[in-house]
């Protein structure tokens, strides 16, 4: 059985129906359990040797599955949760797109919350392995499916990669002999994203002394100090932009995202800001964080206020998310690129993620990887999220071809 024959075994109609079922199950962070149960039920077929629904944090769950035992080995990963759909209904009220979980098909596109980010990727994994089994084969190298909760941020008390941390702690990714490669199915418009930026998010508070406006000499103006803090941070960002840019990710920079200060007819005694810092693969998150602390401390000392810095979005690092890159020359990247060409006739596009996601967790334990899946990240988190059916089918066939090419094939055991 050839990889091309395996790819042809992908059932386009079943794949579309599968994605529609997935979209119809709301899984807004942190309410992923129903969708996790559905995913587990879909894995409980003869395409996999074992599957497991693994609850954590009382009301949430991850899903794991495995087939094959040899090498080269592979992890196929995705996240179960989506962002909220609060803005969807108001945007599409009175139209055929009004239900964010309706999975409506319009002009050969499937619309709905989570369609691209990233239920299309999860369904591509499910159907790719089913296509291999349908062709009478199974992967020779071990394939692990890893579907985790809590990737998305924005909901209170969530979005800290609790699911991925639990998966690694559970030992579902072998750390003594790590798998040889990872495909994490974040939407990439079917390009291969070999690199991702890192990031840190910081909240800085300057505390002075409020005083009645008629006696300003009794106060310490935190807003005035904040003006100097903003200037220092923007100058720091300008310096970052003078450093060599990454060929795929671009420049490092810092963006102030929110500022809060002021009191009623009084000297402002408090100044708060939030910022995000883009970190490149050759940079250190620790050093980036220390630069922020140093700037805040220097401004505070110069202007007689107190400064505190809190990093509010720890992921695989206490201050944020780690940048990551897998060389485009890696054999698995080359194999995936060849699978893209075999299915589409096009040369593969090697690009970088304009986002941070969780492949760096696995990179840290020795598993190099990429992002690859149908869907456009620029539509994610918006009322315009959708997936083109033709791209969905082509990407799933590409994934089936890649698994067959990278892991090899052997005859599936017969069952009564």
């Amino acid at each position: 059985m050839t990889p091309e024959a395996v790819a042809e075994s992908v059932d386009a109609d079943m794949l579309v129906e599968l994605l529609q079922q997935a979209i119809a199950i709301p899984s807004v962070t942190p309410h992923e359990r129903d969708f996790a149960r559905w995913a587990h039920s879909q894995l409980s077929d003869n395409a996999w040797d074992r599957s497991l629904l693994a609850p954590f944090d009382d009301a949430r769950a991850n899903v794991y599955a495995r087939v094959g035992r040899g090498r080269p080995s592979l992890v196929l990963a995705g996240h179960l949760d989506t962002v909220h759909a609060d803005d969807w209904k108001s945007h599409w009220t009175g139209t055929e797109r009004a239900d964010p979980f309706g999975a409506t098909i319009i002009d050969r596109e499937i619309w709905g919350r989570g369609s691209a980010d990233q239920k299309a990727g999860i369904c591509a994994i499910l159907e790719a392995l089913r296509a291999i089994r349908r062709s009478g084969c199974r992967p020779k190298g071990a394939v692990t499916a890893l579907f985790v909760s809590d990737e998305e941020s924005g909901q209170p008390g969530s979005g800290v990669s609790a699911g991925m941390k639990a998966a690694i702690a559970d030992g579902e990714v072998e750390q003594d002999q790590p798998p040889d490669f990872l495909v994490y199915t974040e939407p990439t418009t079917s390009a291969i994203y070999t690199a991702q930026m890192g990031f840190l998010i910081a909240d800085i508070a300057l505390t002075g002394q409020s005083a009645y406006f008629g006696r300003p000499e009794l106060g310490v103006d935190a807003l005035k100090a904040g003006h100097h803090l903003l200037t220092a941070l923007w100058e720091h960002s300008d310096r970052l932009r003078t450093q060599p840019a990454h060929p795929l990710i671009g420049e490092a920079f810092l963006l102030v995202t929110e500022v809060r200060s002021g009191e009623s007819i009084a000297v402002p005694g408090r100044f708060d800001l939030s910022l995000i810092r883009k970190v490149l693969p050759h940079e250190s998150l620790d050093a980036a964080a220390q630069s922020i602390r140093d700037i805040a401390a220097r401004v505070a000392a110069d202007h007689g206020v107190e400064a505190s810095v809190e990093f509010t979005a720890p992921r695989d690092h206490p201050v944020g998310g780690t940048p990551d890159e897998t060389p485009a020359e890696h054999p698995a990247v080359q194999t995936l690129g060849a699978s893209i060409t075999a299915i589409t006739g096009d040369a593969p596009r090697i690009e970088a993620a304009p986002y941070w996601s969780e492949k760096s967790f696995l990179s840290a334990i020795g598993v190099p990887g990429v992002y690859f899946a149908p869907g456009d990240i620029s539509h994610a988190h918006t009322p315009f999220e959708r997936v083109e059916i033709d791209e969905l089918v082509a990407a799933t066939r590409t994934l089936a071809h890649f698994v067959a090419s990278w892991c090899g094939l052997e005859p599936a055991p017969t069952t009564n």
Side-chain angles (χ1 to χ4, degrees):
M1 181 65 63
T2 66
E4 288 75 14
V6 167
E8 283 300 313
S9 295
V10 168
D11 188 314
D13 292 336
M14 290 182 64
L15 176 61
V16 169
E17 182 180 350
L18 192 69
L19 180 53
Q20 288 182 298
Q21 290 178 25
I23 295 168
I25 304 171
S27 56
V28 176
T29 317
H31 304 291
E32 307 98 335
R33 167 91 45 115
D34 287 346
F35 184 54
R37 287 176 176 145
W38 177 88
H40 178 246
S41 72
Q42 297 298 321
L43 290 163
S44 301
D45 59 22
N46 59 11
W48 302 87
D49 293 338
R50 64 177 286 266
S51 62
L52 175 67
L53 180 68
F56 72 96
D57 285 357
D58 297 329
R60 310 175 76 180
N62 291 335
V63 181
Y64 314 130
R66 189 166 296 163
V67 62
R69 297 182 180 180
R71 303 189 87 101
S73 52
L74 178 66
V75 177
L76 300 174
H79 63 80
L80 298 162
D81 56 326
T82 74
V83 298
H84 66 77
D86 296 349
D87 60 342
W88 189 289
K89 290 183 180 180
S90 61
H91 187 89
W92 294 114
T93 297
T95 74
E96 55 192 333
R97 298 177 177 87
D99 183 358
F101 308 109
T104 305
I105 297 177
I106 301 171
D107 296 332
R108 291 193 60 76
E109 294 179 322
I110 307 174
W111 287 70
R113 173 60 71 234
S115 55
D117 189 17
Q118 64 167 131
K119 292 180 177 180
I122 287 175
C123 291
I125 293 170
L126 296 173
E127 176 58 21
L129 269 294
R130 286 176 178 175
I132 292 173
R133 186 64 178 85
R134 206 175 283 135
S135 67
C137 299
R138 57 182 258 144
K140 186 180 295 184
V143 178
T144 299
L146 188 66
F147 301 152
V148 297
S149 296
D150 200 53
E151 192 273 347
E152 296 288 6
S153 58
Q155 298 300 103
S158 62
V160 294
S161 295
M164 183 61 81
K165 292 171 184 175
I168 292 174
D170 287 345
E172 287 302 320
V173 180
E174 179 62 53
Q175 298 185 41
D176 292 335
Q177 290 186 310
D180 296 304
F181 199 65
L182 158 75
V183 176
Y184 197 118
T185 55
E186 289 280 10
T188 67
T189 61
S190 301
I192 303 173
Y193 287 0
T194 56
Q196 71 175 20
M197 70 182 75
F199 78 96
L200 58 81
I201 295 174
D203 287 347
I204 304 178
L206 301 181
T207 303
Q209 178 62 54
S210 182
Y212 179 60
F213 90 103
R215 297 295 304 276
E217 69 276 8
L218 300 179
V220 179
D221 193 335
L223 177 53
K224 187 174 182 179
H227 167 79
H228 292 278
L229 176 62
L230 285 167
T231 299
L233 290 171
W234 287 328
E235 288 175 348
H236 179 60
S237 183
D238 289 341
R239 287 192 296 273
L240 292 173
R241 291 181 182 275
T242 66
Q243 299 175 5
H246 187 278
L248 295 176
I249 299 173
E251 299 174 328
F253 61 82
L254 176 154
L255 181 68
V256 176
T257 56
E258 186 177 5
V259 173
R260 305 169 299 282
S261 188
E263 298 186 39
S264 178
I265 316 178
V267 174
R270 174 97 175 194
F271 176 89
D272 295 271
L273 68 75
S274 299
L275 63 84
I276 187 167
R277 161 78 151 87
K278 178 181 175 182
V279 182
L280 303 184
H282 67 271
E283 294 186 290
S284 159
L285 266 178
D286 288 315
Q290 190 58 47
S291 295
I292 303 302
R293 295 189 189 100
D294 291 344
I295 290 169
R298 185 172 66 251
V299 169
D302 290 345
H303 298 278
V305 298
E306 295 181 358
S308 67
V309 180
E310 180 183 4
F311 296 98
T312 59
R315 288 298 186 125
D316 61 342
H317 188 284
V319 301
T322 305
D324 187 53
E325 183 171 19
T326 297
E329 297 76 25
H330 189 286
V333 177
Q334 294 294 303
T335 301
L336 179 55
S339 292
I340 290 172
T341 300
I343 299 303
T344 68
D346 298 326
R349 293 176 286 124
I350 304 297
E351 299 176 4
Y355 49 74
W356 183 92
S357 192
E358 295 175 324
K359 82 183 184 78
S360 54
F361 275 96
L362 298 180
S363 180
I365 61 173
V367 187
V370 298
Y371 298 111
F372 170 80
D376 188 340
I377 193 64
S378 68
H379 299 151
H381 304 192
T382 77
F384 308 102
E385 187 175 2
R386 74 267 194 187
V387 173
E388 295 179 0
I389 290 175
D390 293 343
E391 186 198 2
L392 172 67
V393 173
T396 303
R397 287 183 172 147
T398 296
L399 190 60
H401 189 284
F402 169 69
V403 173
S405 300
W406 175 250
C407 295
L409 299 172
E410 61 186 16
T414 57
T415 57
N416 294 326

